[in-house]
Amino acid sequence: MKKKSIILSLLLVLCFTGMAQLPPVFKNQDPGKVRSTSLVRKNLTPERIVWSSDTTGNYIRNAESLLNPSTGQADLSFGEFFTIQNDEETQHGIILDFGREIQGGIEIVTTRGNLSPAGKVRIRFGESVAETMCDVGENGATNDHAMRDFEVTLPTMGRLEVGESGFRFVRVDLVGPNAKILIKEISASFRYRDIPYLGSFASNDEQLNNIWMTGAYTVHLNMNEYLLDGIKRDRLVWAGDMHPEMMTINSVFGYNDVVPKSLDFARDQYPLPNWMNDISSYSMWWILLQQEWYKSQGDFEYLAKQEEYLVGILNQLAKHIDEDGKETLDGMRFLDWPSSENEAAIHAGLQSMMVMSFEAGAELCSLLDIPETREMCLQSIEKLKKHIPDMAGSKQAAALLAMSGLISPEKANSEVLAKDGVHKMSTFYGYYMLIARAMAGDYQGAIDNIREYWGAMLDLGATTFWEDFDISWMENAARIDELVPEGKVNVHATYGGYCYEGYRHSFCHGWASGPTAWLTQYVLGINVVETGCKTIKISPHLGDLEWVKGTYPTPMGILSVEHKKMPDGSVQTKYTEPDGVKIILE
């Protein structure tokens, strides 16, 4: 009996191992040419019908049947299926809502009673309802990076899966005069990494809880084969965008191979002397990413593989300091889009990033035992600190100047960051503005910023955070999850700038997730002190919150923390740490 059990166990192992392999007929296929995927697929049923072109009931019938759970399988039955029909002049369609932003495509299953083929439909994905109502070329709408507006021919009694984009809403229109199609099911084909949310955040403020989770979900959707910037546009690996994304991953998911895989992709795509993504600051973000990744995960083997490139990029940066200590970086001089026309702010930001990069470089070179490059980093820092740029009225510049130590956080906060509420904030550099305010001890000011700025996107119906946002857009704005009422402003079509005007604007952009990492570090109070989370300092700052609790993933397991504000204003803290983690309670 025991022998039979062993044999059965071996067969099961072989079966499940074989499931990850190609069938035997591919035995001559070069393994290096086979690409596997880390994504799973789940099909989602629409939650509601937003709009129908037919107000008479003569051309669209049984639309509610699309809200029934899908099977993905055509059959021979006759039923009360969704039927859509055109007349000679008018094409009809509907808009479906899948409840929240997702990454993937759409699956359509046709049924009995259709022609062969069944006919043609036009599909329009939208991150807002309004986006599904527009044509390519209208108000910035494009098919760049992801096809969001196209026509397909449906089979009779068959299934068709198409699309790879970011969307919440789908409009389906029947194409052709007098055409008619019977459709059994329309579902969203959701593709994502099936990973647990190991980190968590909960407090007595539901808005903050929702903001934390929305930032986590925004990054989760962008954890594709590589760590993307956005799931509709650009769907590219941008080294700078990765920094807030990685900080969110550390806070929510812990180790995930998408980070080192994407860091290596950026490195290999832009060999020296190129700047990453042709942007000098993005090469510096790569250095800071390496520092933070090693600090959180403690993977020295991976860090050691970066030595050659790290030494090269540090030496290249050192050539861009003049005799007065000013940075002279070439390539695209860029911090974020809202600051891109303020040259003085860009200089201040780049000067600050140079200091931060050489400080990180000195630390990494010490770990890697590269004394010559470490000494060069220290000398570069000394040179750079001779020149302290003006904040130029820029919150981006003020934040980086404070983070680099070129000016005091208190000065940055009182003179720039705390002025004008959340005006002049941005979704990308808003994270660093929050950090600088925390460094100044203004935790309540930062919490208020999060509520007002990121909370405003949620108030407009967002389920993920956007590429950019300006608080002035709230004036007379329609929600993005409804048809735009007469007299209201269509936020998606009306606003945006630079490379994201109108509907080209990405409504799921990973660089906007900063509040998730910030709330975990500064409110929940989780601060990694020793590499690989061997030592963690717990330093909560509740502001006006009554209580907060949450978890943080470490390489050794989950750290659980709970804080409660007492009547005298003090904070009572309880925690459970995994073996191998030392806690310092502040």
Side-chain angles (χ1 to χ4, degrees):
M1 186 71 179
K2 185 177 181 182
K3 184 176 180 182
K4 288 182 179 180
S5 297
I6 294 172
I7 292 173
L8 179 60
S9 298
L10 286 171
L11 286 172
L12 287 171
V13 168
L14 289 171
C15 286
F16 283 110
T17 302
M19 287 173 65
Q21 300 173 352
L22 285 171
V25 293
F26 285 95
K27 62 183 178 181
N28 295 323
Q29 175 69 49
D30 180 354
K33 295 182 179 179
V34 179
R35 181 169 62 86
S36 61
T37 178
S38 302
L39 305 184
V40 300
R41 190 190 82 174
K42 295 288 178 68
N43 281 74
L44 305 179
T45 301
E47 293 195 0
R48 67 183 176 116
I49 298 165
V50 180
W51 168 87
S52 168
S53 63
D54 178 23
T55 59
T56 67
N58 295 325
Y59 299 96
I60 293 179
R61 296 184 295 279
N62 302 320
E64 293 75 15
S65 68
L66 297 176
L67 305 182
N68 298 326
S70 64
T71 65
Q73 179 60 51
D75 58 45
L76 295 172
S77 66
F78 291 100
E80 298 296 316
F81 297 122
F82 171 59
T83 304
I84 182 169
Q85 184 172 358
N86 293 340
D87 59 23
E88 187 68 33
E89 298 179 352
T90 306
Q91 294 190 166
H92 286 283
I94 60 169
I95 297 175
L96 303 174
D97 176 9
F98 290 93
R100 63 174 49 250
E101 179 103 4
I102 61 172
Q103 195 275 145
I106 189 172
E107 177 186 272
I108 301 178
V109 179
T110 55
T111 188
R112 197 168 186 171
N114 285 304
L115 298 174
S116 182
K120 185 177 291 187
V121 295
R122 179 184 180 185
I123 295 169
R124 278 177 277 186
F125 295 117
E127 294 187 298
S128 65
V129 170
E131 188 178 11
T132 69
M133 305 288 283
C134 71
D135 298 328
V136 168
E138 176 187 342
N139 290 323
T142 74
N143 275 333
D144 294 346
H145 307 283
M147 295 294 293
R148 52 153 299 277
D149 184 351
F150 54 90
E151 295 181 359
V152 294
T153 299
L154 300 179
T156 183
M157 284 190 298
R159 182 181 71 88
L160 181 70
E161 183 182 346
V162 290
E164 181 75 14
S165 185
F167 66 96
R168 173 178 170 179
F169 308 96
V170 174
R171 177 171 171 176
V172 179
D173 290 273
L174 182 59
V175 175
N178 300 315
K180 179 181 178 181
I181 292 183
L182 282 73
I183 294 176
K184 180 177 181 248
E185 300 167 2
I186 299 178
S187 61
S189 180
F190 182 23
R191 288 188 282 280
Y192 64 101
R193 285 185 179 241
D194 188 9
I195 52 177
Y197 283 54
L198 301 174
S200 63
F201 178 92
S203 72
N204 59 288
D205 186 331
E206 282 302 319
Q207 184 189 43
L208 283 182
N209 302 343
N210 194 7
I211 289 170
W212 187 95
M213 181 57 75
T214 301
Y217 182 66
T218 299
V219 170
H220 190 186
L221 293 185
N222 280 287
M223 294 169 72
N224 216 276
E225 297 300 339
Y226 294 90
L227 188 52
L228 306 180
D229 62 329
I231 54 172
K232 178 185 77 174
R233 208 220 81 246
D234 299 327
R235 299 185 67 87
L236 296 173
V237 177
W238 293 89
D241 303 28
M242 284 177 60
H243 186 263
E245 290 185 283
M246 185 205 69
M247 298 302 287
T248 296
I249 289 170
N250 281 338
S251 300
V252 180
F253 304 106
Y255 180 86
N256 191 283
D257 65 358
V258 75
V259 174
K261 181 179 178 181
S262 301
L263 287 170
D264 290 352
F265 182 87
R267 179 199 64 202
D268 296 342
Q269 292 300 304
Y270 299 95
L272 298 173
N274 298 293
W275 301 116
M276 287 190 181
N277 305 111
D278 301 320
I279 303 171
S280 54
S281 64
Y282 277 33
S283 289
M284 292 190 280
W285 281 123
W286 183 90
I287 298 170
L288 296 169
L289 281 156
Q290 292 291 343
Q291 179 193 37
E292 288 288 354
W293 189 243
Y294 179 67
K295 182 179 178 181
S296 294
Q297 305 304 329
D299 187 349
F300 185 80
E301 183 180 354
Y302 174 73
L303 178 63
K305 293 176 182 178
Q306 314 308 316
E307 179 175 333
E308 181 180 354
Y309 186 89
L310 176 65
V311 170
I313 192 62
L314 288 169
N315 281 304
Q316 182 168 314
L317 287 167
K319 296 174 183 177
H320 291 276
I321 309 172
D322 70 13
E323 59 185 15
D324 297 320
K326 296 179 181 179
E327 61 80 19
T328 60
L329 291 163
D330 54 12
M332 183 176 177
R333 294 172 60 82
F334 177 82
L335 300 178
D336 69 351
W337 287 115
S339 64
S340 61
E341 296 177 31
N342 187 337
E343 293 183 7
I346 293 171
H347 166 60
L350 294 179
Q351 184 82 6
S352 303
M353 288 201 67
M354 287 281 270
V355 172
M356 294 160 64
S357 297
F358 282 115
E359 288 176 342
E363 178 183 318
L364 295 175
C365 287
S366 181
L367 291 165
L368 294 167
D369 193 19
I370 317 171
E372 300 86 358
T373 307
R374 178 179 181 276
E375 183 59 30
M376 180 273 293
C377 289
L378 296 175
Q379 291 175 5
S380 297
I381 294 167
E382 188 176 352
K383 287 184 200 175
L384 289 160
K385 287 190 173 180
K386 294 177 182 177
H387 172 64
I388 302 176
D390 185 77
M391 289 183 280
S394 163
K395 291 186 176 180
Q396 290 87 336
L400 292 182
L401 285 166
M403 290 171 64
S404 67
L406 288 176
I407 66 172
S408 73
E410 292 78 12
K411 176 181 174 67
N413 190 49
S414 63
E415 295 185 12
V416 177
L417 296 172
K419 297 287 183 69
D420 304 319
V422 295
H423 290 281
K424 300 181 181 179
M425 288 192 75
S426 73
T427 51
F428 180 9
Y429 267 58
Y431 177 43
Y432 309 114
M433 297 169 199
L434 296 174
I435 290 174
R437 298 199 75 173
M439 291 173 69
D442 190 2
Y443 301 99
Q444 186 61 56
I447 292 170
D448 291 342
N449 283 172
I450 291 172
R451 288 170 172 147
E452 186 177 356
Y453 186 73
W454 280 270
M457 284 181 263
L458 300 185
D459 290 341
L460 290 177
T463 58
T464 48
F465 289 132
W466 303 352
E467 184 173 12
D468 194 21
F469 178 70
D470 190 288
I471 196 65
S472 65
W473 299 355
M474 291 296 293
E475 185 177 351
N476 197 36
R479 290 175 59 90
I480 66 169
D481 54 2
E482 63 182 19
L483 295 171
V484 179
E486 186 176 352
K488 287 281 191 177
V489 176
N490 179 345
V491 172
H492 206 172
T494 304
Y495 300 118
Y498 306 102
C499 67
Y500 53 92
E501 292 183 354
Y503 292 123
R504 199 169 190 272
H505 193 173
S506 164
F507 275 9
C508 179
H509 230 65
W511 72 13
S513 68
T516 300
W518 190 91
L519 287 166
T520 293
Q521 181 177 357
Y522 293 102
V523 176
L524 195 58
I526 309 298
N527 295 272
V528 178
V529 175
E530 188 180 353
T531 296
C533 297
K534 294 183 182 70
T535 302
I536 290 177
K537 180 175 70 175
I538 300 177
S539 180
H541 300 282
L542 272 61
D544 60 4
L545 295 174
E546 297 173 7
W547 60 268
V548 62
K549 62 182 178 179
T551 53
Y552 185 85
T554 80
M556 283 74 77
I558 305 299
L559 168 64
S560 298
V561 180
E562 183 173 352
H563 308 291
K564 182 179 180 181
K565 190 179 290 182
M566 307 306 288
D568 63 359
S570 63
V571 175
Q572 182 186 77
T573 296
K574 299 178 182 179
Y575 61 86
T576 304
E577 79 279 27
D579 290 341
V581 175
K582 177 184 176 182
I583 298 297
I584 300 172
L585 184 59
E586 187 176 88

